[in-house]
Amino acid sequence: MLAVLRMVLLGAFIVVGSTLLLLFCIFRPFHRNNTAFAAHWYGSMHRLLGVKLEIRVPDEVKQGGPFVYIANHQNSYDIFTLSRAMPQSTVSVGKKSLKWIPFFGQMYWLAGNILIDRKNKGRAHGTIEQAASAIRKRKLSILLFPEGTRSYGRGLLPFKTGAFRTAMQAGVDIVPICVSNLHGRIKLNRWNNGTVIIEMLKPVKISDYSSDSIRALTAHCHQLMQSKIGELDHELAQG
């Protein structure tokens, strides 16, 4: 019964919330803080899922920027957890097909997010320049999922290099965002689904790497995130 109630409420929230957010974005299209506003709105629904969020942001991130943020992408619940930590003046990169999802897709586009055609490698390379240009000219930060797909309990998947090439091209540092394990943790028929920790790490300086060492930078960030996610999961298990 609880699971059905939650599904109905979540469904209603997505439809109504997306419609209201779409109207909001129509009145100030492509505003630099539209994405953060919408993300925090969706992220507020973590309470309906019975989840407590603990968000940790180091001073170096609070006082700096713009950045390229990279986060682990686990499952569909990310929109109700990770979204709550979306920094101001930040947009994300999503599939072009999202634009055609009723209400949500149009809102996502008008919020100022960058849409890419993943089937077209030429356009994907162009997206790196598009994202880097947004960082340089508009002083926006970009949130990317370097795994390229949801992990669904398989751990942190190998990273693609696009996010790191974007940071190099824009000349900004990288901030890893680590989210504790969500796989199997959220059960809709259970009142209390525990705590999810979202922790941003200190910026990784791209000045320590050359354009020829993208893969070394990619591997370093993967190792940092894998280690921190393990620490967060251990912390929650001990608590």
Side-chain angles (χ1 to χ4, degrees):
M1 183 62 185
L2 178 58
V4 173
L5 177 61
R6 275 181 167 150
M7 290 176 66
V8 170
L9 290 175
L10 284 172
F13 172 82
I14 291 172
V15 173
V16 175
S18 296
T19 304
L20 293 174
L21 288 169
L22 174 59
L23 293 173
F24 178 80
C25 291
I26 285 174
F27 282 102
R28 63 171 205 179
F30 310 113
H31 189 280
R32 62 188 300 105
N33 286 323
N34 278 358
T35 297
F37 182 83
H40 292 174
W41 184 317
Y42 279 102
S44 67
M45 283 294 98
H46 70 273
R47 299 182 183 90
L48 181 58
L49 294 173
V51 171
K52 178 183 177 182
L53 291 185
E54 183 175 336
I55 300 173
R56 303 170 180 174
V57 184
D59 289 338
E60 292 88 343
V61 174
K62 292 178 181 178
Q63 298 165 5
F67 299 112
V68 168
Y69 293 95
I70 57 173
N72 53 317
H73 198 12
Q74 298 187 63
N75 53 41
S76 298
Y77 289 124
D78 287 340
I79 196 172
F80 302 119
T81 53
L82 175 61
S83 293
R84 190 64 174 173
M86 175 69 82
Q88 294 294 316
S89 300
T90 302
V91 298
S92 65
V93 175
K95 295 182 294 184
K96 189 176 181 179
S97 58
L98 288 173
K99 188 175 179 179
W100 305 112
I101 298 175
F103 302 109
F104 175 85
Q106 294 78 54
M107 179 275 296
Y108 185 83
W109 171 60
L110 285 171
N113 296 291
I114 298 172
L115 299 173
I116 63 171
D117 185 354
R118 287 184 176 172
K119 295 180 180 179
N120 188 317
K121 291 185 178 180
R123 290 184 182 177
H125 287 297
T127 300
I128 293 176
E129 172 54 37
Q130 185 181 354
S133 178
I135 295 170
R136 292 192 306 265
K137 296 179 180 179
R138 299 182 60 199
K139 304 301 181 185
L140 287 173
S141 294
I142 304 288
L143 171 65
L144 293 160
F145 297 106
E147 294 165 284
T149 188
R150 296 177 179 88
S151 58
Y152 293 116
R154 293 173 289 171
L156 192 64
L157 302 179
F159 284 175
K160 301 180 186 300
T161 60
F164 309 95
R165 295 184 189 279
T166 299
M168 281 284 186
Q169 198 159 328
V172 298
D173 295 333
I174 296 169
V175 174
I177 304 178
C178 302
V179 185
S180 61
N181 180 43
L182 281 171
H183 184 67
R185 295 292 301 274
I186 297 177
K187 298 186 183 301
L188 294 180
N189 60 351
R190 183 170 59 193
W191 279 109
N192 184 1
N193 282 306
T195 299
V196 172
I197 302 175
I198 302 171
E199 182 167 344
M200 298 185 190
L201 305 186
K202 293 181 180 180
V204 176
K205 302 291 184 182
I206 64 163
S207 58
D208 294 339
Y209 296 85
S210 69
S211 57
D212 296 326
S213 56
I214 290 290
R215 296 199 178 278
L217 173 60
T218 303
H220 175 64
C221 289
H222 189 280
Q223 189 277 325
L224 284 176
M225 291 183 66
Q226 191 168 49
S227 177
K228 174 54 67 174
I229 292 168
E231 291 177 13
L232 298 179
D233 290 343
H234 179 72
E235 178 183 339
L236 290 172
Q238 295 299 309

